[in-house]
Coordinates of all heavy atoms in Angstrom, one line a residue:
M1 N 85.1 60.8 -95.6 CA 85.6 62.1 -95.1 C 84.8 63.2 -95.8 O 84.7 63.2 -97.0 CB 87.1 62.2 -95.3 CG 87.6 63.5 -95.0 SD 89.3 63.9 -95.6 CE 89.3 63.2 -97.2
T2 N 84.5 64.2 -95.0 CA 83.8 65.4 -95.5 C 84.6 66.6 -95.3 O 85.6 66.6 -94.6 CB 82.4 65.6 -94.8 OG1 82.7 65.9 -93.4 CG2 81.5 64.3 -94.8
W3 N 84.3 67.7 -96.0 CA 85.0 68.9 -95.8 C 84.9 69.4 -94.4 O 85.9 69.9 -93.8 CB 84.5 70.0 -96.8 CG 85.1 69.9 -98.1 CD1 84.5 69.4 -99.3 CD2 86.4 70.2 -98.5 NE1 85.4 69.4 -100.3 CE2 86.6 69.9 -99.9 CE3 87.5 70.7 -97.8 CZ2 87.8 70.1 -100.5 CZ3 88.7 70.9 -98.5 CH2 88.9 70.6 -99.8
A4 N 83.8 69.2 -93.7 CA 83.6 69.6 -92.3 C 84.6 68.8 -91.5 O 85.3 69.4 -90.6 CB 82.2 69.3 -91.9
Q5 N 84.8 67.5 -91.7 CA 85.7 66.7 -90.9 C 87.1 67.2 -91.2 O 87.9 67.3 -90.2 CB 85.6 65.2 -91.3 CG 84.3 64.6 -90.8 CD 84.2 63.2 -91.4 OE1 84.4 63.0 -92.6 NE2 83.9 62.2 -90.5
L6 N 87.4 67.5 -92.4 CA 88.8 68.0 -92.8 C 89.1 69.3 -92.1 O 90.1 69.5 -91.5 CB 88.8 68.1 -94.3 CG 90.2 68.3 -94.9 CD1 91.1 67.1 -94.7 CD2 90.0 68.5 -96.4
L7 N 88.1 70.2 -92.2 CA 88.3 71.5 -91.6 C 88.3 71.5 -90.1 O 88.9 72.4 -89.5 CB 87.3 72.5 -92.1 CG 87.4 72.8 -93.6 CD1 86.2 73.7 -94.1 CD2 88.7 73.3 -94.0
D8 N 87.7 70.5 -89.5 CA 87.8 70.3 -88.0 C 89.3 70.0 -87.6 O 89.6 70.2 -86.5 CB 86.9 69.2 -87.5 CG 85.5 69.6 -87.4 OD1 85.2 70.8 -87.4 OD2 84.6 68.7 -87.3
E9 N 90.0 69.6 -88.5 CA 91.5 69.2 -88.3 C 92.4 70.3 -88.9 O 93.5 70.0 -89.3 CB 91.8 67.8 -88.9 CG 90.9 66.7 -88.3 CD 91.0 66.5 -86.8 OE1 92.1 66.9 -86.3 OE2 90.1 65.9 -86.2
W10 N 91.9 71.5 -88.9 CA 92.6 72.6 -89.6 C 94.1 72.7 -89.1 O 95.0 73.0 -89.9 CB 91.9 73.9 -89.5 CG 92.6 75.0 -90.2 CD1 93.3 76.1 -89.7 CD2 92.7 75.1 -91.7 NE1 93.8 76.8 -90.7 CE2 93.5 76.3 -91.9 CE3 92.2 74.3 -92.7 CZ2 93.7 76.7 -93.2 CZ3 92.5 74.7 -94.0 CH2 93.3 75.9 -94.2
P11 N 94.4 72.6 -87.8 CA 95.8 72.7 -87.4 C 96.7 71.7 -88.1 O 97.8 72.1 -88.5 CB 95.8 72.5 -85.9 CG 94.4 72.9 -85.5 CD 93.5 72.5 -86.6
L12 N 96.2 70.5 -88.4 CA 97.0 69.6 -89.1 C 97.2 70.0 -90.6 O 98.3 69.9 -91.2 CB 96.4 68.2 -89.1 CG 96.3 67.5 -87.7 CD1 95.6 66.1 -87.8 CD2 97.7 67.4 -87.0
V13 N 96.1 70.4 -91.2 CA 96.1 70.9 -92.6 C 97.1 72.1 -92.7 O 97.9 72.1 -93.6 CB 94.7 71.3 -93.0 CG1 94.8 72.0 -94.4 CG2 93.8 70.1 -93.0
E14 N 97.0 73.0 -91.7 CA 97.9 74.2 -91.8 C 99.3 73.8 -91.7 O 100.2 74.3 -92.4 CB 97.5 75.2 -90.6 CG 98.2 76.5 -90.7 CD 97.6 77.5 -89.7 OE1 96.5 77.2 -89.1 OE2 98.3 78.5 -89.5
A15 N 99.6 72.9 -90.8 CA 101.0 72.5 -90.6 C 101.5 71.7 -91.9 O 102.7 72.0 -92.3 CB 101.2 71.5 -89.4
D16 N 100.7 70.9 -92.4 CA 101.1 70.2 -93.7 C 101.2 71.1 -94.8 O 102.2 71.0 -95.7 CB 100.0 69.1 -94.0 CG 100.1 67.9 -93.1 OD1 101.1 67.7 -92.4 OD2 99.1 67.1 -93.1
L17 N 100.3 72.1 -95.0 CA 100.5 73.1 -96.1 C 101.8 73.8 -96.0 O 102.5 74.0 -97.0 CB 99.4 74.1 -96.0 CG 98.0 73.6 -96.5 CD1 96.9 74.7 -96.2 CD2 98.0 73.3 -98.0
H18 N 102.3 74.1 -94.8 CA 103.5 74.8 -94.6 C 104.7 73.8 -94.9 O 105.6 74.2 -95.6 CB 103.7 75.3 -93.2 CG 104.8 76.2 -93.0 ND1 106.0 75.8 -92.6 CD2 104.9 77.6 -93.3 CE1 106.9 76.8 -92.5 NE2 106.2 77.9 -93.0
E19 N 104.6 72.6 -94.4 CA 105.7 71.7 -94.6 C 105.9 71.3 -96.1 O 107.0 71.2 -96.6 CB 105.5 70.4 -93.7 CG 106.6 69.4 -93.9 CD 106.4 68.2 -93.0 OE1 105.6 68.2 -92.1 OE2 107.0 67.1 -93.3
F20 N 104.8 70.9 -96.7 CA 104.8 70.4 -98.1 C 104.9 71.4 -99.2 O 105.5 71.2 -100.2 CB 103.6 69.5 -98.3 CG 103.8 68.1 -97.7 CD1 103.4 68.0 -96.3 CD2 104.3 67.0 -98.3 CE1 103.5 66.8 -95.7 CE2 104.4 65.8 -97.7 CZ 104.0 65.7 -96.4
Y21 N 104.3 72.6 -99.0 CA 104.2 73.6 -100.0 C 104.9 74.9 -99.6 O 104.9 75.8 -100.4 CB 102.7 73.9 -100.4 CG 102.0 72.7 -100.9 CD1 101.0 72.1 -100.2 CD2 102.3 72.1 -102.2 CE1 100.4 70.9 -100.7 CE2 101.7 71.0 -102.7 CZ 100.7 70.4 -101.9 OH 100.1 69.3 -102.4
G22 N 105.3 75.0 -98.4 CA 105.9 76.3 -97.9 C 104.8 77.4 -97.8 O 105.2 78.6 -97.8
V23 N 103.6 77.0 -97.7 CA 102.5 78.0 -97.6 C 102.1 78.3 -96.1 O 101.8 77.4 -95.4 CB 101.2 77.4 -98.3 CG1 100.0 78.3 -98.1 CG2 101.5 77.2 -99.8
D24 N 102.3 79.5 -95.8 CA 101.9 80.0 -94.4 C 100.6 80.6 -94.5 O 100.4 81.8 -94.9 CB 103.0 81.0 -93.9 CG 102.6 81.5 -92.5 OD1 101.6 81.0 -91.9 OD2 103.4 82.3 -92.0
V25 N 99.5 79.9 -94.2 CA 98.2 80.4 -94.3 C 97.9 81.5 -93.4 O 96.9 82.2 -93.5 CB 97.1 79.3 -94.3 CG1 97.2 78.3 -95.4 CG2 97.1 78.6 -92.9
G26 N 98.7 81.7 -92.4 CA 98.6 82.8 -91.4 C 99.1 84.1 -92.0 O 98.9 85.2 -91.3
A27 N 99.8 84.1 -93.1 CA 100.3 85.3 -93.7 C 99.2 86.2 -94.1 O 98.2 85.8 -94.7 CB 101.2 85.0 -94.9
P28 N 99.2 87.5 -93.7 CA 98.1 88.4 -93.9 C 97.8 88.5 -95.4 O 98.7 88.6 -96.3 CB 98.6 89.7 -93.4 CG 99.7 89.4 -92.4 CD 100.3 88.1 -92.9
G29 N 96.5 88.3 -95.8 CA 96.0 88.4 -97.1 C 96.3 87.2 -98.0 O 95.8 87.2 -99.2
L30 N 97.0 86.2 -97.6 CA 97.4 85.1 -98.5 C 96.1 84.5 -99.1 O 96.0 84.3 -100.3 CB 98.3 84.1 -97.8 CG 98.6 82.9 -98.7 CD1 99.6 83.2 -99.8 CD2 99.0 81.7 -97.9
L31 N 95.2 84.1 -98.2 CA 94.0 83.4 -98.7 C 93.1 84.3 -99.4 O 92.3 83.8 -100.2 CB 93.4 82.6 -97.5 CG 94.2 81.5 -96.9 CD1 93.4 80.8 -95.7 CD2 94.6 80.5 -97.9
D32 N 93.2 85.6 -99.1 CA 92.3 86.5 -99.9 C 92.8 86.6 -101.3 O 92.0 86.9 -102.2 CB 92.4 87.9 -99.2 CG 91.7 88.0 -97.9 OD1 90.8 87.1 -97.6 OD2 92.1 88.8 -97.0
E33 N 94.1 86.4 -101.6 CA 94.6 86.5 -102.9 C 94.5 85.2 -103.7 O 94.8 85.3 -104.9 CB 96.1 86.9 -102.8 CG 96.3 88.3 -102.2 CD 97.8 88.6 -101.9 OE1 98.6 87.8 -102.3 OE2 98.0 89.7 -101.4
R34 N 94.2 84.1 -103.1 CA 94.1 82.8 -103.7 C 92.7 82.4 -103.9 O 91.8 82.7 -103.1 CB 94.9 81.8 -102.9 CG 96.4 82.1 -102.7 CD 97.1 82.1 -104.0 NE 98.5 82.3 -103.8 CZ 99.4 82.1 -104.7 NH1 99.1 81.7 -105.9 NH2 100.7 82.4 -104.5
S35 N 92.4 81.5 -104.9 CA 91.1 81.0 -105.1 C 90.8 79.8 -104.2 O 91.8 79.2 -103.7 CB 90.9 80.6 -106.6 OG 91.7 79.5 -106.9
W36 N 89.6 79.5 -104.1 CA 89.2 78.3 -103.4 C 89.8 77.1 -104.1 O 90.3 76.1 -103.4 CB 87.7 78.2 -103.3 CG 87.2 76.8 -102.8 CD1 86.5 75.9 -103.5 CD2 87.4 76.3 -101.5 NE1 86.3 74.8 -102.7 CE2 86.8 75.0 -101.5 CE3 88.1 76.7 -100.3 CZ2 86.9 74.2 -100.3 CZ3 88.1 75.9 -99.2 CH2 87.5 74.6 -99.2
R37 N 89.8 77.1 -105.4 CA 90.4 76.0 -106.2 C 91.9 75.8 -105.8 O 92.3 74.7 -105.7 CB 90.2 76.2 -107.7 CG 90.8 75.1 -108.5 CD 90.8 75.4 -110.0 NE 91.4 74.4 -110.8 CZ 92.7 74.2 -110.9 NH1 93.6 74.9 -110.2 NH2 93.2 73.2 -111.6
W38 N 92.6 76.9 -105.7 CA 94.0 76.8 -105.3 C 94.2 76.1 -104.0 O 95.1 75.2 -103.9 CB 94.6 78.2 -105.2 CG 96.0 78.3 -104.8 CD1 97.1 78.3 -105.7 CD2 96.5 78.5 -103.5 NE1 98.3 78.4 -104.9 CE2 97.9 78.5 -103.6 CE3 95.9 78.6 -102.3 CZ2 98.7 78.6 -102.5 CZ3 96.7 78.7 -101.1 CH2 98.1 78.7 -101.2
L39 N 93.4 76.4 -103.0 CA 93.5 75.8 -101.7 C 93.1 74.3 -101.8 O 93.7 73.4 -101.2 CB 92.7 76.5 -100.7 CG 92.8 76.0 -99.2 CD1 94.2 76.0 -98.7 CD2 91.8 76.8 -98.3
R40 N 92.0 74.0 -102.5 CA 91.5 72.7 -102.6 C 92.5 71.7 -103.2 O 92.7 70.6 -102.8 CB 90.2 72.7 -103.4 CG 89.5 71.4 -103.5 CD 88.2 71.5 -104.3 NE 88.4 72.1 -105.6 CZ 88.1 71.5 -106.7 NH1 87.5 70.4 -106.8 NH2 88.4 72.1 -107.9
V41 N 93.1 72.2 -104.3 CA 94.1 71.4 -105.0 C 95.2 71.0 -104.0 O 95.7 69.8 -104.0 CB 94.6 72.1 -106.2 CG1 95.9 71.4 -106.8 CG2 93.6 72.2 -107.3
R42 N 95.7 71.9 -103.2 CA 96.8 71.6 -102.3 C 96.3 70.7 -101.2 O 97.1 69.8 -100.7 CB 97.4 72.9 -101.8 CG 98.4 73.5 -102.8 CD 98.4 75.0 -102.9 NE 99.2 75.4 -104.0 CZ 98.7 75.5 -105.3 NH1 97.5 75.2 -105.5 NH2 99.5 75.8 -106.3
I43 N 95.1 70.9 -100.7 CA 94.6 70.0 -99.6 C 94.5 68.6 -100.2 O 94.8 67.6 -99.5 CB 93.3 70.6 -99.0 CG1 93.6 71.8 -98.2 CG2 92.7 69.5 -98.1 CD1 92.4 72.5 -97.7
F44 N 93.9 68.5 -101.4 CA 93.8 67.1 -102.0 C 95.2 66.5 -102.2 O 95.4 65.3 -102.0 CB 93.1 67.2 -103.3 CG 91.6 67.3 -103.2 CD1 90.9 67.7 -104.3 CD2 90.9 67.0 -102.1 CE1 89.5 67.8 -104.3 CE2 89.6 67.1 -102.0 CZ 88.9 67.5 -103.1
G45 N 96.2 67.3 -102.5 CA 97.6 66.9 -102.6 C 98.1 66.3 -101.3 O 98.8 65.3 -101.2
L46 N 97.7 67.0 -100.2 CA 98.1 66.5 -98.9 C 97.5 65.1 -98.5 O 98.1 64.3 -97.8 CB 97.7 67.5 -97.8 CG 98.4 68.9 -97.8 CD1 97.7 69.8 -96.8 CD2 99.9 68.8 -97.7
L47 N 96.3 64.9 -99.1 CA 95.7 63.6 -98.8 C 96.3 62.5 -99.6 O 96.1 61.3 -99.3 CB 94.2 63.7 -99.1 CG 93.4 64.6 -98.2 CD1 92.0 64.8 -98.7 CD2 93.4 64.1 -96.8
S48 N 97.1 62.8 -100.6 CA 97.8 61.7 -101.3 C 99.3 61.7 -101.0 O 100.0 60.9 -101.6 CB 97.6 61.9 -102.8 OG 98.2 63.1 -103.3
A49 N 99.8 62.5 -100.1 CA 101.2 62.5 -99.6 C 101.2 61.8 -98.2 O 100.2 61.6 -97.6 CB 101.7 63.9 -99.5
D50 N 102.4 61.6 -97.8 CA 102.6 61.1 -96.4 C 102.6 62.2 -95.5 O 103.6 62.7 -94.9 CB 103.9 60.3 -96.3 CG 104.1 59.7 -95.0 OD1 103.1 59.4 -94.3 OD2 105.3 59.4 -94.6
S51 N 101.4 62.7 -95.2 CA 101.2 63.9 -94.4 C 100.4 63.6 -93.1 O 99.8 62.5 -93.0 CB 100.4 65.0 -95.2 OG 99.1 64.5 -95.5
R52 N 100.4 64.5 -92.2 CA 99.6 64.3 -91.0 C 98.2 64.1 -91.2 O 97.6 63.2 -90.7 CB 99.8 65.6 -90.1 CG 101.1 65.9 -89.6 CD 101.2 67.4 -89.1 NE 102.5 67.8 -88.7 CZ 103.4 68.4 -89.6 NH1 103.0 68.6 -90.8 NH2 104.6 68.7 -89.1
I53 N 97.6 64.9 -92.1 CA 96.1 64.8 -92.4 C 95.8 63.4 -93.1 O 94.8 62.8 -92.9 CB 95.6 66.0 -93.1 CG1 94.1 66.1 -93.0 CG2 96.0 66.0 -94.6 CD1 93.6 66.5 -91.6
Q54 N 96.7 63.0 -94.0 CA 96.5 61.7 -94.7 C 96.6 60.6 -93.7 O 95.7 59.7 -93.7 CB 97.6 61.6 -95.8 CG 97.4 60.3 -96.6 CD 98.1 59.1 -96.0 OE1 99.0 59.2 -95.2 NE2 97.7 58.0 -96.5
R55 N 97.5 60.6 -92.8 CA 97.6 59.6 -91.8 C 96.4 59.5 -90.9 O 96.0 58.4 -90.4 CB 98.9 59.7 -91.0 CG 100.2 59.4 -91.8 CD 101.4 59.3 -91.0 NE 101.8 60.5 -90.4 CZ 102.6 61.5 -90.9 NH1 103.1 61.3 -92.2 NH2 102.9 62.6 -90.3
L56 N 95.9 60.7 -90.6 CA 94.7 60.7 -89.7 C 93.5 60.0 -90.3 O 92.8 59.2 -89.7 CB 94.3 62.2 -89.3 CG 93.1 62.3 -88.5 CD1 93.3 61.9 -87.1 CD2 92.6 63.8 -88.5
F57 N 93.2 60.4 -91.6 CA 92.1 59.8 -92.3 C 92.3 58.5 -92.9 O 91.3 57.8 -93.3 CB 91.5 60.9 -93.3 CG 90.9 62.0 -92.6 CD1 91.5 63.3 -92.7 CD2 89.7 61.9 -92.0 CE1 90.9 64.4 -92.1 CE2 89.1 63.0 -91.4 CZ 89.7 64.2 -91.4
N58 N 93.5 58.1 -93.2 CA 93.8 56.8 -93.8 C 94.6 55.9 -93.0 O 95.6 55.5 -93.4 CB 94.5 57.1 -95.2 CG 93.6 57.9 -96.1 OD1 92.4 57.5 -96.3 ND2 94.2 58.9 -96.7
T59 N 94.1 55.7 -91.8 CA 94.8 54.8 -90.9 C 94.9 53.4 -91.5 O 93.9 52.9 -92.1 CB 94.1 54.7 -89.5 OG1 92.8 54.3 -89.7 CG2 94.2 56.1 -88.8
P60 N 96.0 52.7 -91.4 CA 96.1 51.4 -91.9 C 95.2 50.4 -91.2 O 94.9 50.6 -90.0 CB 97.6 51.0 -91.7 CG 98.1 51.9 -90.7 CD 97.2 53.2 -90.7
P61 N 94.7 49.4 -91.9 CA 93.8 48.4 -91.3 C 94.6 47.6 -90.3 O 95.8 47.5 -90.4 CB 93.4 47.6 -92.5 CG 94.3 47.8 -93.6 CD 94.9 49.2 -93.3
E62 N 93.9 47.2 -89.3 CA 94.6 46.3 -88.3 C 95.0 45.0 -88.9 O 94.3 44.5 -89.7 CB 93.7 46.1 -87.1 CG 93.4 47.3 -86.3 CD 92.7 47.0 -85.0 OE1 92.9 45.9 -84.5 OE2 92.0 47.9 -84.5
P63 N 96.2 44.5 -88.6 CA 96.6 43.2 -89.2 C 95.7 42.1 -88.8 O 95.1 42.1 -87.7 CB 98.0 43.0 -88.6 CG 98.3 44.1 -87.6 CD 97.1 45.1 -87.6
K64 N 95.5 41.2 -89.7 CA 94.6 40.1 -89.4 C 95.4 39.1 -88.4 O 96.6 38.9 -88.5 CB 94.3 39.3 -90.7 CG 93.5 40.1 -91.6 CD 93.1 39.3 -92.9 CE 92.2 40.1 -93.8 NZ 91.9 39.3 -95.0
K65 N 94.6 38.6 -87.5 CA 95.2 37.6 -86.6 C 95.3 36.3 -87.3 O 94.5 35.9 -88.1 CB 94.2 37.5 -85.4 CG 94.2 38.8 -84.6 CD 93.3 38.7 -83.4 CE 93.3 40.0 -82.6 NZ 92.4 40.0 -81.4
P66 N 96.4 35.6 -86.9 CA 96.5 34.3 -87.6 C 95.4 33.3 -87.2 O 94.9 33.4 -86.1 CB 97.9 33.8 -87.0 CG 98.4 34.8 -86.1 CD 97.4 35.9 -86.0
R67 N 95.1 32.5 -88.1 CA 94.0 31.5 -87.9 C 94.6 30.4 -87.0 O 95.7 29.9 -87.2 CB 93.5 31.0 -89.2 CG 92.8 32.0 -90.0 CD 92.3 31.5 -91.3 NE 91.2 30.6 -91.1 CZ 90.8 29.8 -92.1 NH1 91.3 29.9 -93.3 NH2 89.8 29.0 -91.8
R68 N 93.8 30.0 -86.1 CA 94.2 28.8 -85.3 C 93.5 27.6 -85.8 O 92.3 27.6 -86.0 CB 93.8 29.1 -83.8 CG 94.6 30.3 -83.3 CD 94.2 30.7 -81.9 NE 94.7 29.7 -80.9 CZ 94.6 29.9 -79.7 NH1 94.0 30.9 -79.2 NH2 95.1 29.0 -78.8
N69 N 94.2 26.6 -85.9 CA 93.6 25.3 -86.4 C 93.2 24.4 -85.3 O 93.6 24.3 -84.2 CB 94.6 24.5 -87.3 CG 94.9 25.3 -88.5 OD1 94.1 26.1 -89.0 ND2 96.0 25.0 -89.2

């Protein structure tokens, strides 16, 4: 996964930031007042939580089919 892929899914990131951290990135000036590191840490946190963005990029592997003898 790249930052470009992650940012292509911004609506999911935005919804997760609000749900998990109470951060409304649409609030005027919020992102102007915060550092890139602040945002990056929270986005990485979303990737380790049971979030929309984590489920998108970390889909579980398909179950193995039973072997036939």
Side-chain angles (χ1 to χ4, degrees):
M1 170 193 43
T2 66
W3 277 106
Q5 291 171 311
L6 191 64
L7 295 176
D8 281 345
E9 303 298 337
W10 185 252
L12 297 179
V13 173
E14 188 171 348
D16 285 343
L17 285 169
H18 191 266
E19 180 178 343
F20 284 84
Y21 299 110
V23 173
D24 179 3
V25 295
L30 176 77
L31 294 179
D32 293 333
E33 296 173 0
R34 301 292 183 168
S35 68
W36 170 245
R37 181 186 177 284
W38 177 89
L39 182 60
R40 184 178 56 121
V41 165
R42 278 146 189 84
I43 291 173
F44 283 162
L46 295 176
L47 293 171
S48 63
D50 184 23
S51 64
R52 296 166 185 88
I53 200 69
Q54 182 273 342
R55 290 189 296 270
L56 175 72
F57 287 113
N58 296 313
T59 56
E62 291 190 29
K64 293 182 179 179
K65 294 182 181 179
R67 294 177 69 190
R68 295 175 76 173
N69 294 339

